[in-house]
Amino acid sequence: MPLSRRRLLAATGAAVPLLLVAPSAVAQPATTPPDLATPEGWLTWISANRDGLGLVVDDGRGSQLLHRADAAQPLASAVKVVHLAAYSAAVAEGELDPKEQIRLGDWERFYVPTDGYAHATTLKYLGIPTDPTGLYAADPDHRVTLDDMASAMIMFSDSAVPDFLRNRLGDAALRKAATAGGWARPDIRSMCAEYLFLLPEFAPPAQLPTPARRIFGYALEQRYGNDADLRKRVLDRLMSNVLPPYEQQLRWGSKTMSSTARQLASLHRAIATGGVPADAARTHLERPLGGHLPPDVLGIGMKGGSLPGVLTCGMSVRRQDGTVAWGALLAHGDIALEQVGTGDPGLPLLLAMQQPEWRDRLARALAG
C-alpha cells in the first residue's frame, strides 16, 4: 500500500504541542501561510526561509544535499531518538529488560500536560483507564512494560518517557549512545522542566547559559516529580489555559534542546545500518510505517517533532537493494500555529530521498 501524507505525518510522532493555547489569542498572519502539509508548500516556505532551515539528505546512491548542515537549531521531539538509542543499547547489553513492568505513577511523575494529548493518546492506545481529566491513568499502580513506554515515546511522542529513561540510565549512557552514532555532545535536558519553564514561576533566569539551564532544570524536575501537590497545582493552572501568548512561546521554543541536522541524521543512519546496537531502536522507529511501505523499501524509520515555530524530522530508508538513505530536516522561525499543527516535516525529507526530480527542485529552492 503506498504511503499517504496522513500516514507519514502520524508516523513522525510529532504531537502538536501546547494545544491549550486559544487560537483567538494568536495574531493572524497578514497573508495565508504556505501549507506545510504539502510538498509545494514546503518549497514555498523554504524559498522564503533559507536561513531557518538545516537539512541533510543522502539518498544512499551517491547523491547528497546539504544546507546549513552544521547550524544548531531546535530539535523538539526529534531529540527523543537519543533516548531511544540509549534504551536500545541497554537492552542489547542486558542492562534493561524490555518486559520489565513499570508503574504508571513512576512514569507520570515526569508528565507535564502540554504535549498535545500525546500521553492521553498513549493511555487510550494501551487500554488504560484515565482519571476524570482524561490526562492521567486512573490507577497509578497500573503497570506497563518498559518496551511499551519506549514505543509510546516514538509512536505518540510521549514526553514523560525520555526523562524516565534518562533518570534510569543516566546522562552518560545517553551521551555514549549518541556519540556512537556520530552525534557528539547531545543537548540532553529535562523535557519536564523545559515545559515547566513556560510558566513564569518556574522560568530560569533569562540569560542562563545552556549548561546552567540544564542543572536548573534537573533540580526543578526532581522537585516536580517528588511533590504530588505541586503536580496538581500545575495541572490546575494548565487546565485554566494560563500559558503565555504564542509570541512568547516562540521565544521559549528557540531556547529548547538543539543540534545540527548533520548530528541528527548521523544517528538515524547509524540505527538504520547497525552502526550502534540498534535492534530495539530500529523496530520502534520503523513500526509506524511498517504496513505501508513502497515495494522496494524494507523499512522507513523516523521521528519528528514540533514546538512553537519549530518543525523537525530525522529519517532513514532501508531498501531491498541494500542501500540506505538518511537525513534530517530542522525548520525554525516563521512557522505559524496552524502550520505547527498540520505541517509534515517528514514529507519533503522522504521525497528528497526517494525522488531525484523532487530533490532537484528542493536544491533550486535552497539556491534561490
Side-chain angles (χ1 to χ4, degrees), residues 166-303:
R166 194 197 79 248
N167 276 268
R168 180 73 179 269
L169 295 170
D171 286 19
L174 271 65
R175 293 193 189 97
K176 179 180 177 181
T179 300
W183 182 347
R185 297 181 298 278
D187 187 357
I188 300 167
R189 309 187 205 173
S190 165
M191 299 193 75
C192 163
E194 292 292 326
Y195 286 130
L196 288 171
F197 289 164
L198 277 163
L199 300 175
E201 65 267 35
F202 299 120
Q207 303 305 317
L208 200 64
T210 296
R213 181 183 175 108
R214 180 180 301 114
I215 294 171
F216 189 97
Y218 285 176
L220 176 58
E221 174 193 88
Q222 185 175 24
R223 176 186 163 205
Y224 181 80
N226 291 333
D227 189 338
D229 289 338
L230 176 59
R231 295 197 298 274
K232 178 62 166 60
R233 291 198 300 272
V234 169
L235 173 63
D236 290 343
R237 290 202 60 193
L238 292 174
M239 294 291 285
S240 300
N241 196 12
V242 297
L243 286 172
Y246 189 66
E247 289 299 321
Q248 187 173 335
Q249 293 185 33
L250 289 173
R251 294 191 292 272
W252 163 81
S254 298
K255 295 181 179 181
T256 54
M257 293 76 70
S258 67
S259 83
T260 70
R262 192 189 305 275
Q263 290 170 320
L264 179 60
S266 293
L267 185 51
H268 277 270
R269 175 186 59 184
I271 291 172
T273 60
V276 296
D279 287 352
R282 189 163 53 243
T283 295
H284 287 303
L285 291 172
E286 293 185 356
R287 177 178 291 128
L289 289 176
H292 311 286
L293 299 174
D296 63 337
V297 172
L298 295 173
I300 299 175
M302 59 193 303
K303 180 68 190 85

Side-chain angles (χ1 to χ4, degrees), residues 18-349:
L18 314 178
L19 291 182
L20 299 175
V21 177
S24 61
V26 180
Q28 299 302 311
T31 59
T32 302
D35 183 358
L36 299 185
T38 67
E40 297 303 319
W42 271 105
L43 290 178
T44 299
W45 187 90
I46 288 168
S47 295
N49 296 275
R50 297 182 189 92
D51 290 342
L53 182 75
L55 179 71
V56 170
V57 177
D58 189 310
D59 74 349
R61 293 168 170 158
S63 294
Q64 193 173 77
L65 181 60
L66 305 176
H67 179 76
R68 299 181 68 249
D70 297 311
Q73 300 214 152
L75 284 165
S77 285
V79 73
K80 294 170 185 173
V81 72
V82 173
H83 305 77
L84 182 67
Y87 165 78
S88 185
V91 168
E93 294 163 6
E95 295 178 6
L96 287 181
D97 177 2
K99 296 181 181 179
E100 179 185 350
Q101 296 289 312
I102 305 297
R103 180 177 171 273
L104 259 295
D106 294 332
W107 175 1
E108 292 181 337
R109 289 173 56 239
F110 302 99
Y111 175 46
V112 181
T114 55
D115 62 347
Y117 305 105
H119 186 69
T121 302
T122 295
L123 297 178
K124 181 177 180 180
Y125 176 80
L126 294 174
I128 299 171
T130 58
D131 69 3
T133 71
L135 298 172
Y136 289 83
D139 179 7
D141 289 323
H142 186 101
R143 293 176 185 267
V144 298
T145 68
L146 188 56
D147 204 57
D148 279 339
M149 293 174 62
S151 177
M153 178 175 68
I154 302 304
M155 185 175 294
F156 303 113
S157 208
D158 188 287
S159 291
V161 177
D163 290 327
F164 179 93
L165 289 174
R166 194 197 79 248
N167 276 268
R168 180 73 179 269
L169 295 170
D171 286 19
L174 271 65
R175 293 193 189 97
K176 179 180 177 181
T179 300
W183 182 347
R185 297 181 298 278
D187 187 357
I188 300 167
R189 309 187 205 173
S190 165
M191 299 193 75
C192 163
E194 292 292 326
Y195 286 130
L196 288 171
F197 289 164
L198 277 163
L199 300 175
E201 65 267 35
F202 299 120
Q207 303 305 317
L208 200 64
T210 296
R213 181 183 175 108
R214 180 180 301 114
I215 294 171
F216 189 97
Y218 285 176
L220 176 58
E221 174 193 88
Q222 185 175 24
R223 176 186 163 205
Y224 181 80
N226 291 333
D227 189 338
D229 289 338
L230 176 59
R231 295 197 298 274
K232 178 62 166 60
R233 291 198 300 272
V234 169
L235 173 63
D236 290 343
R237 290 202 60 193
L238 292 174
M239 294 291 285
S240 300
N241 196 12
V242 297
L243 286 172
Y246 189 66
E247 289 299 321
Q248 187 173 335
Q249 293 185 33
L250 289 173
R251 294 191 292 272
W252 163 81
S254 298
K255 295 181 179 181
T256 54
M257 293 76 70
S258 67
S259 83
T260 70
R262 192 189 305 275
Q263 290 170 320
L264 179 60
S266 293
L267 185 51
H268 277 270
R269 175 186 59 184
I271 291 172
T273 60
V276 296
D279 287 352
R282 189 163 53 243
T283 295
H284 287 303
L285 291 172
E286 293 185 356
R287 177 178 291 128
L289 289 176
H292 311 286
L293 299 174
D296 63 337
V297 172
L298 295 173
I300 299 175
M302 59 193 303
K303 180 68 190 85
S306 61
L307 286 175
V310 178
L311 285 169
T312 63
C313 187
M315 180 185 294
S316 66
V317 177
R318 295 188 302 114
R319 306 189 185 97
Q320 291 184 355
D321 63 7
T323 60
V324 177
W326 49 280
L329 181 151
L330 305 178
H332 176 223
D334 187 16
I335 301 175
L337 179 61
E338 179 182 357
Q339 291 172 303
V340 172
T342 62
D344 185 350
L347 182 60
L349 200 53

